[in-house]
Amino acid sequence: MRLLLIRHGQTPANVDGVLDAAVPGPGLTDLGQQQAAALPDALADRGIERLFVSTLVRTQQTAAPLAAALGLEPVVLDGLREIEAGDTQGKRDRVSVQLYISTVHGWSAGDRASRMPGGESGEEFFARYEGAIRQVEAAGVAVAAVVSHGAAIRTWASAVAQNTPDEFGTKRNLENTGIVELEGSTADGWRLVDWEGEPVGGDELVDRTAQDPTGERF
């Protein structure tokens, strides 16, 4: 299976640097709408057969132009939502951001038992995100697109990809409507194929240290 993980378009929280993972969350900015409108052309030749989104408004608004162009009805899966911000929800100060970052980095380093203060643990995040991906696989298609969130995509994709280190996603940015592409399955394993237009191979990894695991904080 080919899995296209697409980060949502720009939101006011992105612009303001606010940690916001609450449901339903903000919608898209004007720029975010333009980013979403560009997806149909960018993905026109990818053979997408099913389209999935999270319970947050920004993923649904991002997917809308693509869904219309492909004649698909997006399927909403709760498990695809962003990593919970817990006690840092709605904050933008350095201490809160670093707390969020260090927690997510800890999960990537293997400490999945640790918990986002006031939120979910790494084990809980991976369980619900992987559960959602299994639902995507159950659709039985060759190519599926999933519109999700920056930290969630980066953390899950690099952890499950067999050709990258688990912390790979913490060292790379994922811009709004950026795409991470994998192939494989939960049963047989996943391989990271492309990260925002750059092919990924075991000997081609580029360390692009990111200041923030969410790119622009959700």
Side-chain angles (χ1 to χ4, degrees):
M1 177 183 189
R2 190 61 59 111
L3 184 63
L4 307 178
L5 301 175
I6 307 166
R7 187 187 176 197
H8 61 78
Q10 187 192 69
T11 72
N14 294 156
V15 176
D16 295 335
V18 175
L19 295 164
D20 187 357
V23 179
L28 302 181
T29 62
D30 288 344
L31 175 57
Q33 295 283 3
Q34 294 171 20
Q35 292 168 334
L39 283 175
D41 285 343
L43 296 171
D45 62 347
R46 301 310 306 274
I48 296 170
E49 299 168 83
R50 295 293 296 275
L51 181 59
F52 300 83
V53 297
S54 80
T55 47
L56 280 76
V57 169
R58 53 188 176 271
T59 65
Q60 297 167 30
Q61 291 183 348
T62 301
L66 183 60
L70 297 176
L72 298 174
E73 181 68 29
V75 178
V76 179
L77 298 178
D78 177 67
L80 298 175
R81 56 188 163 80
E82 182 60 290
I83 294 173
E84 295 176 3
D87 294 342
T88 68
Q89 171 65 31
K91 298 180 180 180
R92 57 182 296 182
D93 62 278
R94 182 179 297 274
V95 172
S96 297
V97 172
Q98 288 302 317
L99 177 59
Y100 184 91
I101 291 174
S102 63
T103 303
V104 174
H105 281 200
W107 296 353
S108 296
D111 183 16
R112 296 188 183 184
S114 65
R115 183 173 296 276
M116 185 71 68
E120 63 192 335
S121 69
E123 292 170 345
E124 291 167 345
F125 161 69
F126 278 96
R128 55 103 165 162
Y129 206 88
E130 289 169 359
I133 296 300
R134 283 193 291 271
Q135 289 180 270
V136 173
E137 292 180 83
V141 298
V143 183
V146 170
V147 184
S148 185
H149 304 266
I153 292 173
R154 292 164 68 176
T155 302
W156 180 80
S158 58
V160 300
Q162 297 176 338
N163 61 323
T164 66
D166 289 354
E167 67 275 13
F168 179 65
T170 67
K171 297 181 178 181
R172 297 181 69 95
N173 289 318
L174 182 60
E175 302 296 334
N176 292 113
T177 62
I179 302 170
V180 172
E181 184 174 345
L182 299 98
E183 63 180 7
S185 67
T186 299
D188 299 327
W190 294 99
R191 178 178 177 274
L192 187 59
V193 176
D194 186 279
W195 193 287
E196 287 196 309
E198 181 181 348
V200 176
D203 299 324
E204 303 169 2
L205 302 184
V206 178
D207 185 350
R208 296 180 176 175
T209 302
Q211 296 179 351
D212 187 319
T214 63
E216 293 182 359
R217 302 186 201 172
F218 302 89

